[in-house]
Amino acid sequence: MLTPVEMILFLLAVAASLYLTQRTFRQAAAVINRGEGQLYTDNLPRRMWRAVEVAVTQRTVLRSRTGTSIMHAFIVWGFLFYFLVNVGDVLEGYFDIQFLGDGLVGGLYRFVADVLSVLVLAGMIYFLVRRFWVKSPALTFHDNIKLLDHVQPGIRRDSLIVGVFILVHVGARFLGRTFWVADEWGDPWQPFAGLVARLWDGLDTDTLVTMEHLTWWLALGAILAFIPYFPYTKHMHLFMGPLNYFTRPERTSLGELPPLDFEDDEREQFGAAKLEHLHKTQIFDAFACIMCNRCQDACPAYVTGKELSPSALEVNKRYEIKSNMVALATGAESPRSLLDFAITPSAVWACTACGACVDICPVGNEPMFDIMDIRRNQVLVDGDFPAELQGAFKGMENSGNPWQMSQSRMQWAEGLDVPTVDEVEDYEILYWVGCAASLEPRAQQTARALVNVLHKAGVKFAVLGERESCTGDSARRAGNEYLFYEMAMANIETLNEVNPPRILVTCPHCFHTLGKEYQQFGGKYDVVHHTEYLDELIRDHRLAPGNTRSPNVTFHDPCYLGRHNDVTDAPRHVLEQVTGGPLLEMERSGKKSFCCGAGGAQFWKEEEPGTARVNLTRYAEAKETGAATLAVGCPFCMRMLTDAGNDASGAGGPVVKDVVEILAEQMGIDA
């Protein structure tokens, strides 16, 4: 129990700490509120549960880097429990009590605190050794990545400060318990403290009590000293991470981009040129960032040596905010544009919009959305974008397709029985052919195979024919939101007039745009990818794969099918029915699949400079499986991986085929 003087001093210290804490936390909140839009607090029970569940289970951290993640979990679980421990220590300091008593509950409390104290200390020592002695490559950046000058020393300084704080706080508290155990002649509920307490066998009671007081002040004083500094460190993620999950927008899929309001005549800024142009949740991301670099490990652009690191983007934002916190909090305009401090133009245009950075982030950050907003500013405000995209934009605007081709959208169907919606009324499903399958020769083979399979299954379908136009996905991902908006509104008008019962697509980008983004503009449709539909037909016994088996197949998950929309089982089930066994899986598969390199409008421009090409990297992974066939479910993946196979480095690799082509061949259905 504290002396009366100590009690007064501690209350004064708490008051000073709380005053400084509220000031710095209010500054952080003010900076976040500079952003566009709002932080979301609807559906409170679900949001609260998600935030708590993510924090307690650590499932988003434990998905990768198993050993390091377990050590991190020890620290998090320890700190969560230490909220209770610190309350108990304050109560014991002010009242002559044993927190939670001497019974079973109190004993369990002391046991858990004892074990977690040791685990936290072990975890913190591990992370300090990893950063300062081992210097893990996972914590570094390629030399071509844009980083603010003070980022690298700043991260090391912050890590050291926080590491010392945790060692002092938890270490002092643990030592305090060892003195208490020694004074009480042992406590079976605190085995680790008991082991250390043997060191104090020769100390008298007065000395043990004095040491208890000193360690009490060290443990709780460290908190009071550190909390006001929290908003200036990366370790604000301890609670900003869960809060990020609590306040982030609900999306129809991982990569659903928010629309821009073109009806607002007073709006002059479209997209993000400066920090305050970003959405509030994107500024929130900078405070939540754990700086673990997992996003860059998953980023196809970074892995292939481009200038893009999603982690560096968030880190640069964080340190720019730290350097200008007071000014930004009071409403001053940011001193520099995002392209001046956060990311390079080459990095902006290297993004494939694959969503890997969003999916892997343990604290719910979404750096891909920052990049899409920067692109919007580049295109709509500055008119500064890769020249190759101009052709795709003109094609979509003038010809309804990015290939700039004026040929009939029904040419692919010559010799096939393909009715249009103007010719039939009673149909089960509308086949949205898409630009690729309508105009690109290789993708046309996929469309023809699908039509023949549909006929074999007795499916009544129809197409829009010449009334179909590009969904505008490439325009949106390239930053030309206004072109996308115009195309979306025209397509929605057509589709609402036709009112299809379901829409079938072979392109995951059409699947995503029609099913997950057109709803922003009043277009709500039941959209199914052809691999899902084939799976349905097989399960409903409308299709019966033959007896010929060819198990030597691997499957490449398209980003906008697997990661963005969680469709991973259906294509595998179809292929397993065809091959008669499990697939030869690549190391990166399912929602962790590696991009083909076409997404984010990359298909329409030259790949940014790097050490490797994305499609060649992915094809090499498929080749390593030893599979004879590389199955795909996307016309753009088909083209990118076929081109990779035709490259000299792809010699002897698998043949690239769409899932429906493999099924049609196995069933003896002519294309």
Side-chain angles (χ1 to χ4, degrees):
M1 185 173 176
L2 299 177
T3 65
V5 172
E6 286 179 307
M7 292 181 183
I8 294 172
L9 288 175
F10 184 73
L11 287 176
L12 292 174
V14 168
S17 178
L18 289 178
Y19 169 75
L20 295 173
T21 298
Q22 63 84 26
R23 189 173 67 177
T24 54
F25 274 71
R26 286 178 65 181
Q27 288 173 354
V31 172
I32 292 170
N33 281 322
R34 292 290 305 279
E36 298 283 332
Q38 63 178 2
L39 295 177
Y40 295 86
T41 56
D42 57 319
N43 300 313
L44 278 176
R46 185 174 70 225
R47 288 181 176 277
M48 291 178 67
W49 169 252
R50 182 172 61 187
V52 171
E53 183 264 333
V54 165
V56 173
T57 66
Q58 288 289 286
R59 62 175 176 81
T60 58
V61 176
L62 293 167
R63 290 181 298 179
S64 60
R65 300 182 185 174
T66 304
T68 297
S69 298
I70 289 173
M71 288 296 185
H72 184 270
F74 288 161
I75 294 174
V76 172
W77 292 331
F79 261 76
L80 289 174
F81 192 75
Y82 256 60
F83 282 112
L84 179 63
V85 168
N86 291 326
V87 169
D89 287 351
V90 170
L91 291 176
E92 288 181 359
Y94 274 80
F95 305 98
D96 190 14
I97 61 170
Q98 177 66 38
F99 186 59
L100 297 182
D102 293 321
L104 178 62
V105 173
L108 288 174
Y109 159 74
R110 296 195 301 279
F111 176 75
V112 173
D114 186 59
V115 172
L116 285 178
S117 294
V118 173
L119 291 179
V120 169
L121 293 172
M124 196 63 252
I125 292 170
Y126 168 84
F127 281 110
L128 289 173
V129 169
R130 178 172 177 257
R131 179 171 291 280
F132 293 102
W133 186 29
V134 176
K135 297 181 180 179
S136 171
L139 302 175
T140 63
F141 301 89
H142 292 161
D143 292 339
N144 63 343
I145 298 300
K146 186 180 185 69
L147 283 174
L148 293 174
D149 292 338
H150 50 291
V151 162
Q152 293 283 36
I155 291 175
R156 292 174 62 84
R157 183 179 61 252
D158 283 350
S159 298
L160 183 60
I161 290 172
V162 174
V164 170
F165 156 68
I166 292 175
L167 291 179
V168 169
H169 172 52
V170 178
R173 201 274 171 182
F174 177 73
L175 278 177
R177 301 312 292 174
T178 69
F179 293 120
W180 182 87
V181 170
D183 191 34
E184 296 292 324
W185 297 93
D187 181 7
W189 292 103
Q190 300 183 78
F192 292 107
L195 286 174
V196 178
R198 295 176 184 176
L199 297 173
W200 322 133
D201 285 346
L203 299 180
D204 57 53
T205 298
D206 289 342
T207 301
L208 292 173
V209 170
T210 299
M211 295 306 297
E212 277 187 70
H213 279 242
L214 286 174
T215 51
W216 187 95
W217 273 99
L218 268 176
L220 293 177
I223 294 178
L224 299 181
F226 185 74
I227 287 181
Y229 181 64
F230 234 48
Y232 286 89
T233 77
K234 69 170 189 161
H235 289 80
M236 198 177 182
H237 74 262
L238 287 170
F239 47 87
M240 294 298 273
L243 283 175
N244 205 18
Y245 277 101
F246 180 80
T247 59
R248 69 192 294 189
E250 298 284 351
R251 305 189 194 278
T252 58
S253 68
L254 179 145
E256 180 201 356
L257 294 179
L260 295 179
D261 184 7
F262 293 111
E263 304 300 322
D264 184 358
D265 294 333
E266 297 182 0
R267 189 180 184 92
E268 296 180 355
Q269 179 62 44
F270 297 98
K274 293 200 168 188
L275 185 76
E276 57 267 29
H277 298 154
L278 294 171
H279 193 280
K280 285 183 174 63
T281 191
Q282 292 164 256
I283 300 177
F284 204 109
D285 287 348
F287 287 94
C289 181
I290 197 173
M291 302 184 190
C292 62
N293 291 356
R294 295 178 191 225
C295 55
Q296 74 177 18
D297 289 349
C299 175
Y302 183 84
V303 169
T304 55
K306 313 298 189 291
E307 292 183 13
L308 172 59
S309 164
S311 176
L313 169 62
E314 296 296 350
V315 172
N316 284 332
K317 284 163 55 183
R318 183 70 185 89
Y319 276 86
E320 183 75 359
I321 291 172
K322 181 177 179 179
S323 298
N324 301 280
M325 180 90 85
V326 175
L328 290 171
T330 54
E333 183 178 355
S334 4
R336 297 187 284 181
S337 72
L338 290 163
L339 289 177
D340 286 332
F341 73 85
I343 191 171
T344 66
S346 178
V348 168
W349 294 106
C351 178
T352 65
C354 69
C357 58
V358 178
D359 180 63
I360 196 65
C361 182
V363 292
N365 283 358
E366 301 172 321
M368 181 188 75
F369 288 88
D370 294 45
I371 294 172
M372 295 298 106
D373 275 336
I374 294 171
R375 285 185 179 182
R376 285 170 167 178
N377 175 78
Q378 292 290 96
V379 174
L380 300 175
V381 179
D382 294 343
D384 184 11
F385 53 89
E388 305 100 318
L389 291 176
Q390 188 64 55
F393 292 160
K394 286 183 177 179
M396 285 183 271
E397 186 174 0
N398 299 328
S399 307
N401 69 82
W403 271 274
Q404 304 182 71
M405 298 175 69
S406 58
Q407 71 186 51
S408 168
R409 291 184 76 99
M410 289 296 290
Q411 219 174 62
W412 67 273
E414 288 181 3
L416 299 176
D417 179 15
V418 181
T420 68
V421 292
D422 296 323
E423 297 169 341
V424 296
E425 293 183 359
D426 183 22
Y427 57 90
E428 298 176 53
I429 199 163
L430 172 70
Y431 174 28
W432 182 280
V433 184
C435 297
S438 297
L439 304 168
E440 202 271 324
R442 182 61 187 88
Q444 288 176 345
Q445 297 176 34
T446 299
R448 294 178 68 85
L450 177 61
V451 164
N452 286 325
V453 169
L454 293 178
H455 283 310
K456 181 72 173 180
V459 176
K460 296 180 180 179
F461 69 94
V463 300
L464 286 174
E466 305 300 341
R467 299 174 67 182
E468 186 182 288
S469 181
C470 181
T471 63
D473 165 77
S474 293
R476 187 169 227 196
R477 265 71 200 171
N480 198 338
E481 181 73 10
Y482 187 72
L483 176 56
F484 165 76
Y485 172 74
E486 288 188 318
M487 301 192 79
M489 295 305 292
N491 284 327
I492 289 169
E493 183 178 355
T494 300
L495 287 171
N496 286 350
E497 177 188 339
V498 172
N499 193 26
R502 293 181 85 186
I503 300 176
L504 172 66
V505 298
T506 51
C507 175
H509 297 271
C510 294
F511 173 71
H512 177 85
T513 306
L514 292 170
K516 303 301 173 68
E517 296 194 338
Y518 273 17
Q519 52 85 28
Q520 298 170 349
F521 310 99
K524 297 184 179 180
Y525 313 110
D526 180 6
V527 185
V528 61
H529 188 257
H530 72 292
T531 59
E532 293 180 290
Y533 196 58
L534 294 173
D535 189 25
E536 287 182 25
L537 295 176
I538 292 172
R539 292 180 185 275
D540 293 342
H541 305 291
R542 297 177 69 178
L543 278 177
N547 295 320
T548 305
R549 296 292 185 248
S550 53
N552 206 10
V553 176
T554 189
F555 178 65
H556 163 75
D557 293 87
C559 298
Y560 275 76
L561 187 65
R563 183 158 42 249
H564 279 273
N565 289 288
D566 205 22
V567 178
T568 58
D569 293 337
R572 285 175 170 76
H573 184 257
V574 174
L575 289 169
E576 286 168 359
Q577 293 298 306
V578 172
T579 63
L583 305 182
L584 299 173
E585 294 283 8
M586 288 179 265
E587 183 177 352
R588 291 184 279 200
S589 61
K591 294 189 71 173
K592 294 183 179 179
S593 179
F594 194 75
C595 185
C596 75
Q602 295 296 316
F603 190 83
W604 309 107
K605 58 180 282 295
E606 287 297 321
E607 189 168 333
E608 297 298 314
T611 56
R613 296 186 67 85
V614 177
N615 64 331
L616 296 179
T617 302
R618 183 54 169 170
Y619 187 82
E621 292 182 352
K623 186 177 178 180
E624 287 175 2
T625 66
T629 303
L630 169 55
V632 298
C634 171
F636 295 100
C637 296
M638 170 74 77
R639 175 69 177 274
M640 297 297 289
L641 296 173
T642 298
D643 287 350
N646 292 335
D647 186 271
S649 63
V655 177
V656 185
K657 296 180 181 180
D658 191 277
V659 171
V660 71
E661 293 176 325
I662 298 172
L663 175 62
E665 288 176 7
Q666 197 262 1
M667 294 182 66
I669 301 173
D670 295 331

